[in-house]
Amino acid sequence: MHKIGLIDYGMGNIHSVTKSLESLGEEIILIKNFNDSKLCKAIILPGVGAFDPAMNNLINTDLVTDLKNWIKSGKSFFGICLGLQLLFESSDEGKVQGLGILKGKIQKIPNMVNQRIPHMGWCQLLPTKPNALLELEELNNWVYFVHSYHAIPDDLNIIAAQVDYGSEKLTAMIENDNLLACQFHPEKSGKTGEKLLRRWLSNIQ
């Protein structure tokens, strides 16, 4: 069992993430300032909502510098949905600068015939490289998405998995050293989400 810090900044799906991890035997510590993180082995940045209000909440709660320092230190970090998008430099959704931990930007999902925005529902993950969560040969990688914006990293090598959207492929998962983030919601993805969370937890040092 680990102590897992869940950043509580008013924009996350705190209840469902907490319930999901507690069902796996983990102890959750809600992080409102990083003094609360001293006993944590890993930090999760959840997120539901819009980019600018989320960044403003992080700024107003003085979490930005400590969050950046946590990731730079090499400790385990996991971002979920908006928690992935905030890691980048900017978003088409707003004007506030992102955390800038990853180079690149968040763009509106393109309008396509027979495709709806938000991109919502169950979709299969398509691994792009060996990574901590997905086995390349696995077929049952169906997870739950709900988003209208997607990540365009400058370094495409950090994309660990994609998802089909019409003729396009969208970024579904990012992995960069100790940083792991997913656009989908593992806490809403049933047995597959549970499997992925277990794998992440098993890699925590």
Side-chain angles (χ1 to χ4, degrees):
M1 184 181 76
H2 307 93
K3 287 183 171 64
I4 307 295
L6 189 60
I7 295 180
D8 184 3
Y9 65 114
M11 298 291 292
N13 197 0
I14 297 291
H15 177 72
S16 61
V17 175
T18 297
K19 185 176 179 181
S20 180
L21 288 165
E22 286 180 342
S23 72
L24 299 178
E26 305 302 324
E27 181 179 345
I28 303 303
I29 297 175
L30 294 182
I31 304 295
K32 295 189 182 223
N33 69 73
F34 267 74
N35 290 329
D36 302 326
S37 72
K38 292 177 180 177
L39 298 176
C40 294
K41 288 292 187 180
I43 291 289
I44 294 176
L45 178 63
V48 175
F51 192 93
D52 279 9
M55 274 307 306
N56 284 329
N57 282 10
L58 286 174
I59 293 166
N60 292 336
T61 50
D62 292 325
L63 289 168
V64 170
T65 299
D66 288 327
L67 181 55
K68 289 181 177 181
N69 288 339
W70 177 280
I71 295 172
K72 288 177 183 176
S73 75
K75 297 176 183 178
S76 293
F77 172 87
F78 192 45
I80 298 175
C81 197
L82 184 59
L84 174 149
Q85 297 180 10
L86 296 172
L87 300 171
F88 287 85
E89 296 170 293
S90 64
S91 174
D92 287 349
E93 191 177 13
K95 297 180 180 179
V96 179
Q97 291 296 299
L99 292 168
I101 293 164
L102 299 173
K103 300 295 184 184
K105 70 177 298 184
I106 305 302
Q107 293 184 355
K108 184 75 183 272
I109 294 175
N111 288 308
M112 300 183 68
V113 176
N114 296 325
Q115 299 295 326
R116 64 181 180 179
I117 300 175
H119 172 231
M120 183 167 64
W122 292 82
C123 300
Q124 188 175 22
L125 293 174
L126 306 171
T128 57
K129 65 176 183 179
N131 62 74
L133 293 195
L134 299 173
E135 302 291 342
L136 292 178
E137 69 276 8
E138 282 182 323
L139 297 178
N140 185 22
N141 286 326
W142 288 78
V143 292
Y144 186 77
F145 288 84
V146 53
H147 62 120
S148 299
Y149 295 81
H150 66 122
I152 310 288
D154 285 359
D155 179 6
L156 298 180
N157 291 320
I158 70 172
I159 298 176
Q162 297 174 313
V163 61
D164 280 330
Y165 177 77
S167 60
E168 299 279 325
K169 284 184 168 56
L170 308 180
T171 299
M173 187 188 303
I174 295 289
E175 186 175 43
N176 188 36
D177 298 324
N178 59 304
L179 182 155
L180 190 65
C182 53
Q183 183 60 65
F184 58 92
H185 285 274
E187 78 281 7
K188 297 180 179 179
S189 296
K191 292 295 184 182
T192 298
E194 178 182 317
K195 173 188 70 178
L196 300 182
L197 286 172
R198 283 188 187 278
R199 285 184 179 162
W200 176 66
L201 292 166
S202 71
N203 287 322
I204 293 173
Q205 300 300 317

